[in-house]
Amino acid sequence: MARIAVIGAGMGAMAAAARLAVAGHRVAVYERGETYGGAVRRFERDGFSFDTGPGLLPLPAVYRDLFVKTGKQPLEECVELVQVDPSSRHVFPDGTAVSLPNASRAGVVQALEAALGAGAGDRWGDFLVRAREAWDRTRRPLLEEPLWTDWQVLAEREPYPAVPHKRLLRTRRAGTLAEVAAWELRDPRLAALLESHVLAYGLDPRDVPASAAVLPYMEHAFGTWYVRGGIRELARAVYERCVARKVEFVFGAEVTRIVEKDGRAAGVELAAGTVAEADHVVAGVAPGRLKGLTEHALDADGDVWPDVSTPSPGRFTVLLALRGAREAGAAHRTVVHAPDREAELDWVSGEGSGPVRPTVTVLRPDDPALRPDEEHESVVLTAVAPPKGNWAADGSAGRLAELMVAAAGAAVPGLRERVLWRETRTPGHVEDATGAFCGGVPAPSLAGQDGYWLHPANSTRLPGLYRVGGWSHPGGGLPHAGMSGALVAGLIVEGPGFRGSQ
């Protein structure tokens, strides 16, 4: 039985802790905050409750597997999963709106054809076929296996089978997601639909590889789910599974240093000066913070390592307490697309002035647990915002919140007249909760483009030290965080020869 010290109580870290405890190890989690869940948080006031992090769960099979492997109670006995249908409603700048059914390629094609015109649905359907090929090529090495030293295999080959495009007497294939949208979808509304899947992570579709097509494919193939009571309930269930497996949690315990002995990680030092010895250390923290915890050179030529000096765009959230009942048939999720795509992308990347009216995701769960009674409703608005310091200093937080509320009027009838109060959560709140530089949102790993969009491997150059969570392989998002926990547990339990679950 080995002693395992886990830094941070995020979703990936807890997933690793539960699996390691079941394997017979003694696991202690040291969390500098006062609660678990990382960015998966909840805000409560006056009988209203809101998710302040992710609001929906894609690919629930990752957490089903976690619960199967760590106890007798399956996930569905610990939380109530609800399939969201329609999966999403999209409102485009020209006023066109379309509702997309959940996990139904044929249904999505039919809906797009009816709403956007002849040929639109077929073009999207053909794109999903190609996206599935990219998924099949990358699923195992990118999601289900550790990132091996020959990761260049993922970096050098673009897995998306782009359609040849004749341009200026040359035949080219799309190298970025924006080129896929322009050359293959050929409709600004379809382009907005496609690009919203990467924009949600603060990624610029003009830069990301065409392999990012796997993100909309995952949603269409595996569906979108909601956890009754909010996604925070999933964090609670994972935490309780850890406790049931005898994982020790120490809250208010900031780790200041990773202790090294005989050339390997040997424990953690806390702010109080005490040292907790360990045979393995699992770090579920952002890259900049991890670098500050050890003097060991974790990165070297040939390694995958992000630029920790450049902050990533973050999530800006507006929580709305509304008077009046939610109308029958309201969509759980509505995406109100930005009127000026280029201006939004320039602003998010920090190159343009703003704030501008962004793409806004409006979440309206039909969930009694989130409201004081049937005559009220809780609504969450989210958008991606550029990295910056003090949002309140120049009033930009208030201006952006106003722009988001104005956009959300396309999804919530009579919105402004119904607002009782609102709370704004800037990327700075995310930084306080998670330690991520400027509240940046970690994106899923993507293949292609020389490995630029990959995340650092779960193992490190310091023996006994492992990375877990959204800032490590296979990247950000609830499913990917859960997968990282499985990979780290496999590497510790089975050793460096671990090749992923079969």
Side-chain angles (χ1 to χ4, degrees):
M1 176 174 64
R3 298 165 300 175
I4 314 289
V6 180
I7 307 173
M11 297 299 285
M14 290 196 296
R19 291 176 181 271
L20 288 165
V22 166
H25 298 299
R26 193 172 70 200
V27 184
V29 177
Y30 300 92
E31 166 58 50
R32 68 174 185 168
E34 298 301 329
T35 189
Y36 52 83
V40 182
R41 298 294 179 98
R42 173 185 288 153
F43 179 83
E44 297 177 339
R45 174 181 162 187
D46 300 340
F48 293 89
S49 294
F50 308 86
D51 281 323
T52 60
L56 292 170
L57 176 65
L59 206 60
V62 172
Y63 288 91
R64 289 190 179 112
D65 180 73
L66 171 65
F67 277 74
V68 166
K69 300 290 177 58
T70 60
K72 295 180 179 179
Q73 278 188 304
L75 177 63
E76 279 80 355
E77 289 187 12
C78 300
V79 297
E80 182 182 353
L81 288 177
V82 181
Q83 194 167 22
V84 177
D85 202 11
S87 172
S88 59
R89 178 173 178 261
H90 291 261
V91 179
F92 301 105
D94 66 355
T96 307
V98 59
S99 293
L100 303 181
N102 201 337
S104 171
R105 176 180 174 273
V108 168
V109 168
Q110 184 178 6
L112 291 172
E113 195 80 3
L116 307 187
D122 288 338
R123 290 197 298 277
W124 184 262
D126 292 342
F127 157 75
L128 287 179
V129 172
R130 293 188 290 275
R132 176 176 180 173
E133 187 171 335
W135 167 261
D136 290 340
R137 289 175 176 176
T138 61
R139 175 184 59 83
R140 185 161 182 81
L142 197 61
L143 299 178
E144 299 176 359
E145 296 180 346
L147 189 65
W148 302 114
T149 53
D150 60 351
W151 57 265
Q152 286 84 355
V153 174
L154 279 170
E156 295 167 358
R157 179 185 179 188
E158 171 53 64
Y160 178 78
V163 175
H165 172 75
K166 289 187 177 180
R167 186 183 184 192
L168 300 178
L169 303 180
R170 294 183 179 182
T171 299
R172 295 183 57 192
R173 291 181 181 271
T176 67
L177 199 68
E179 290 174 340
V180 171
W183 300 351
E184 299 178 20
L185 298 180
R186 305 191 304 278
D187 185 311
R189 297 164 297 183
L190 290 179
L193 171 60
L194 172 61
E195 294 173 356
S196 65
H197 288 84
V198 300
L199 183 60
Y201 292 101
L203 301 179
D204 190 331
R206 300 171 298 188
D207 298 330
V208 298
S211 66
V214 299
L215 300 181
Y217 172 77
M218 287 173 60
E219 181 170 307
H220 285 296
F222 305 111
T224 303
W225 301 77
Y226 173 68
V227 179
R228 187 71 68 185
I231 295 297
R232 177 65 178 178
E233 286 298 290
L234 177 65
R236 174 197 56 76
V238 176
Y239 168 73
E240 291 180 354
R241 177 55 55 91
C242 287
V243 172
R245 300 281 78 83
K246 309 301 183 185
V247 174
E248 178 188 1
F249 283 83
V250 185
F251 295 106
E254 182 175 3
V255 173
T256 56
R257 184 172 66 93
I258 294 172
V259 177
E260 300 178 26
K261 183 179 180 181
D262 299 330
R264 62 173 292 116
V268 296
E269 182 177 331
L270 305 178
T274 58
V275 172
E277 296 182 349
D279 301 296
H280 303 276
V281 176
V282 176
V285 297
R289 187 175 173 220
L290 178 57
K291 277 197 168 185
L293 295 179
T294 175
E295 298 177 357
H296 191 88
L298 298 178
D299 54 328
D301 290 341
D303 272 1
V304 175
W305 188 263
D307 180 4
V308 298
S309 64
T310 303
S312 304
R315 183 181 290 113
F316 193 102
T317 306
V318 180
L319 314 176
L320 298 176
L322 304 185
R323 61 172 64 88
R326 180 182 187 271
E327 73 273 16
H332 185 119
R333 173 176 57 168
T334 299
V335 181
V336 184
H337 293 271
D340 189 332
R341 166 185 174 273
E342 292 293 328
E344 178 185 29
L345 295 179
D346 288 343
W347 174 65
V348 169
S349 64
E351 298 175 0
S353 60
V356 302
R357 215 283 267 153
T359 296
V360 177
T361 298
V362 183
L363 296 180
R364 305 180 65 193
D366 186 9
D367 189 345
L370 304 184
R371 55 190 182 236
D373 54 51
E374 292 300 317
E375 296 304 315
H376 293 86
E377 181 183 6
S378 66
V379 173
V380 177
L381 314 181
T382 59
V384 175
K388 60 180 296 182
N390 190 344
W391 275 89
D394 59 0
S396 57
R399 293 197 301 273
L400 179 55
E402 282 295 319
L403 290 169
M404 292 171 63
V405 171
V412 186
L415 175 59
R416 285 200 178 275
E417 293 74 25
R418 296 178 58 195
V419 175
L420 287 170
W421 50 262
R422 78 184 189 198
E423 287 278 346
T424 298
R425 317 296 287 180
T426 72
H429 292 97
V430 178
E431 181 175 18
D432 291 341
T434 67
F437 188 25
C438 286
V441 176
S445 290
L446 300 172
Q449 291 190 3
D450 298 324
Y452 182 85
W453 303 98
L454 297 175
H455 286 264
N458 305 109
S459 55
T460 72
R461 288 181 174 269
L462 177 62
L465 175 62
Y466 302 85
R467 305 179 183 97
V468 75
W471 295 102
S472 63
H473 178 72
L478 282 171
H480 296 72
M483 292 173 190
S484 75
L487 294 176
V488 167
L491 288 167
I492 292 176
V493 173
E494 299 188 25
F498 174 65
R499 287 295 183 268
S501 58
Q502 301 297 323

